[in-house]
Amino acid sequence: MTPELEDLVAQIRACRICRDVPFAGPPLPHEPRPVVMASSEAKIMIAGQAPGTKVHASGVPFTDRSGDRLREWLGVTSDEFYDTRNFAIAPMGFCFPGQDARGGDLPPRRECAVTWRARLMQLMPQVGLVLVIGQYAQAWHMPDERKANLTDTVANWRAVFMRNVTPRVLPLPHPSWRNTAWLKRNPWFTEELLPVLRTEIAMRLQRRE
């Protein structure tokens, strides 16, 4: 990791903006615990939403059922997934944002992207592929290609993925168990997108699919 990136990651992990000096809503209702994985070698970035309760407790990204499904989608082992030479993991909100009255997770804190995201991306120019999970990551990483809803955005994945830009971008739904019904309604995701995703991941990790 370069000294500049190491310093930025340390600043992110020590961040308390949304708790102490929030500018995008009421203060975070609990102690911040920013979760981020970054390196100067990572080939792929996973841009998700924000940590959930289990990840907030563990401090390690995707240590939950969503992570199990995501690793299955990617066709990678846990060792490959948590190897920072392979993946950087940078959600739109680095801290668990809390829950709404129904027990669902609140949206990512907006302070995170405004304060940190552009600098983090600038210091990882070696990333060749960004997997944008959910509407908040898609709004930041592919604003011109985002459609009226997540289904249409992900369904347009070929056009987004084949753009002549670096890094390449691939939109995905959230791997949450809550999206199981979505996956059943949209079989093209499993039949068409996932084989391309797995081949791309295998190529970038320099192993055979």
Side-chain angles (χ1 to χ4, degrees), residues 14-193:
C15 181
R16 296 181 56 87
I17 291 173
C18 64
R19 173 73 177 185
D20 295 348
V21 285
F23 56 82
L28 193 73
H30 51 262
E31 189 67 16
R33 190 179 192 181
V35 177
V36 61
M37 249 174 58
S39 83
S40 301
E41 299 175 82
K43 305 169 182 68
I44 303 154
M45 173 180 282
I46 298 172
Q49 181 164 293
T53 53
K54 290 185 178 180
V55 172
H56 178 69
S58 71
V60 180
F62 288 104
T63 50
D64 51 19
R65 290 169 62 189
S66 295
D68 294 338
R69 174 174 273 173
L70 179 59
R71 286 182 282 275
E72 180 184 355
W73 285 357
L74 302 178
V76 299
T77 65
S78 289
D79 288 343
E80 289 174 319
F81 186 78
Y82 290 111
D83 187 336
T84 55
R85 294 171 298 180
N86 296 330
F87 293 96
I89 303 177
M92 297 309 297
F94 294 115
C95 290
F96 171 54
Q99 295 179 322
D100 59 26
R102 297 181 180 181
D105 290 355
L106 291 168
R109 296 291 305 210
R110 295 195 302 276
E111 292 93 340
C112 286
V114 171
T115 306
W116 305 113
R117 196 153 201 89
R119 283 193 281 167
L120 186 62
M121 294 299 298
Q122 184 179 23
L123 291 176
M124 288 193 288
Q126 82 289 344
V127 168
L129 174 65
V130 181
L131 305 178
V132 283
I133 298 174
Q135 61 175 324
Y136 298 101
Q138 289 159 11
W140 199 93
H141 284 276
M142 43 177 286
D144 295 336
E145 292 81 17
R146 188 180 174 211
K147 303 297 183 182
N149 56 66
L150 184 138
T151 299
D152 289 345
T153 299
V154 178
N156 192 44
W157 66 272
R158 286 185 183 86
V160 175
F161 184 60
M162 296 307 294
R163 292 180 306 161
N164 186 26
V165 298
T166 302
R168 298 178 86 175
V169 173
L170 189 61
L172 302 174
H174 197 282
S176 168
W177 62 269
R178 293 184 177 89
N179 278 339
T180 298
W182 185 94
L183 295 172
K184 291 180 179 178
R185 291 194 306 270
N186 297 279
W188 52 264
F189 177 79
T190 300
E191 296 167 2
E192 300 173 21
L193 191 156

